[in-house]
Amino acid sequence: MADIYDVVIRHDLNRMTTQELKNVIRDSEDACAGLALGMRTVGQLAAHSLNSDEYTDKNAREHLNGMSDLLIYLPRIINAIQQNLLTAQYEIQRREVKHDQ
């Protein structure tokens, strides 16, 4: 199986304008916050489902299967988004240093 990181990671940041890099930083920060909130929500849903008398074993298996897929892919997606953010920040700093020289 291919690593989702390789699909998400950007290799063109050095060709972007400074404003485009700032947008990558902003969007990456928003994506990380949204993904963290989504994972927290899934955890809360799972906890509440376990305490429900109407929650069947079939429901539990289906939801556990979906959660396992989520937890397999999300860490690598988050890693790629964070790397994009850090690379964009580095590129902006590199440009500022080069411009000051």
Side-chain angles (χ1 to χ4, degrees), residues 65-81:
N65 183 50
M67 285 175 39
S68 69
D69 283 347
L70 174 75
L71 295 175
I72 287 170
Y73 290 107
L74 271 183
R76 293 301 286 161
I77 292 170
I78 292 168
N79 289 151
I81 291 169

Side-chain angles (χ1 to χ4, degrees), residues 5-72:
Y5 178 93
D6 296 324
V7 175
V8 178
I9 194 74
R10 303 283 306 253
H11 297 285
D12 62 341
L13 295 174
N14 63 332
R15 293 187 297 271
M16 291 183 166
T17 67
T18 299
Q19 185 56 51
E20 289 171 328
L21 291 169
K22 289 178 181 180
N23 291 343
V24 167
I25 292 167
R26 181 201 63 222
D27 294 344
S28 297
E29 290 171 340
D30 290 347
C32 286
L35 289 168
L37 177 60
M39 288 189 299
R40 183 178 306 117
T41 302
V42 168
Q44 290 172 341
L45 173 64
H48 291 296
S49 298
L50 291 172
N51 296 318
S52 171
D53 293 333
E54 299 162 8
Y55 197 67
T56 66
D57 286 345
K58 182 180 179 195
N59 292 134
R61 287 185 177 278
E62 289 173 359
H63 293 150
L64 187 57
N65 183 50
M67 285 175 39
S68 69
D69 283 347
L70 174 75
L71 295 175
I72 287 170

